[in-house]
Amino acid sequence: MHVKEIETVSNLEPFERYNYFIKKIADFEILYSLKSLEGNFAISETNNKYMFPIWSHEEFAKLNLNKEWENFEICEISLEELEEGIFHFILENNYLINVFPMNNKTGFVVNLEEFKRDLSIELENYQ
């Protein structure tokens, strides 16, 4: 990934990063999150809401290995894994999806149904 693209996308507003994310995931069918050394996903909390963070590229996830998540590793998730396992994990735990958090700030937060809808609409463009 080109440094200029990382810089440009990192500086977008959360909703613009969300739109970028949806297009990239529909195109490449890969996304990234963080896992602890014990294998637990990184979960953030704001206002008593728990959120599952995801990014469109490993480089963006790497930028978020901050103090809170310094002992976490980047994990690659295929679109198939997302749909067949992660969606159930998110639903079961009543998590929101924190799409593209950056610089210790929350990204664009959506519930699972909104996320599925937006991703499904974008995936239709690739069929």
Side-chain angles (χ1 to χ4, degrees):
M1 177 166 244
H2 194 273
V3 174
K4 186 67 175 162
E5 183 176 359
I6 293 169
E7 183 181 310
T8 300
V9 174
S10 295
N11 290 320
L12 294 173
E13 292 298 316
F15 184 67
E16 293 170 314
R17 287 196 312 267
Y18 177 73
N19 288 328
Y20 172 91
F21 174 91
I22 292 293
K23 288 179 186 340
K24 290 294 183 181
I25 300 316
D27 190 16
F28 295 105
E29 299 188 1
I30 297 287
L31 61 142
Y32 297 85
S33 192
L34 303 174
K35 273 191 175 181
S36 69
L37 300 177
E38 296 80 30
N40 299 313
F41 283 108
I43 302 297
S44 58
E45 187 263 330
T46 302
N47 298 327
N48 295 321
K49 301 285 184 187
Y50 293 92
M51 299 174 287
F52 182 79
I54 51 178
W55 295 270
S56 62
H57 195 276
E58 182 177 8
E59 293 302 318
F60 294 116
K62 198 177 293 183
L63 291 172
N64 287 275
L65 289 173
N66 55 37
K67 195 171 196 173
E68 180 183 355
W69 291 331
E70 65 187 349
N71 294 321
F72 284 73
E73 298 176 328
I74 297 164
C75 67
E76 183 179 285
I77 302 168
S78 70
L79 184 58
E80 183 177 336
E81 290 171 307
L82 179 71
E83 294 173 337
E84 293 180 5
I86 304 296
F87 282 167
H88 179 72
F89 170 74
I90 291 168
L91 181 63
E92 186 177 81
N93 290 288
N94 198 32
Y95 292 147
L96 295 171
I97 302 173
N98 186 5
V99 180
F100 229 122
M102 290 301 298
N103 305 318
N104 294 325
K105 294 182 183 171
T106 302
F108 191 75
V109 178
V110 293
N111 67 36
L112 182 58
E113 293 307 312
E114 291 169 314
F115 182 82
K116 282 177 160 181
R117 179 201 65 218
D118 293 343
L119 182 58
S120 177
I121 290 168
E122 189 63 31
L123 284 169
E124 287 176 11
N125 294 329
Y126 288 84
Q127 293 178 356

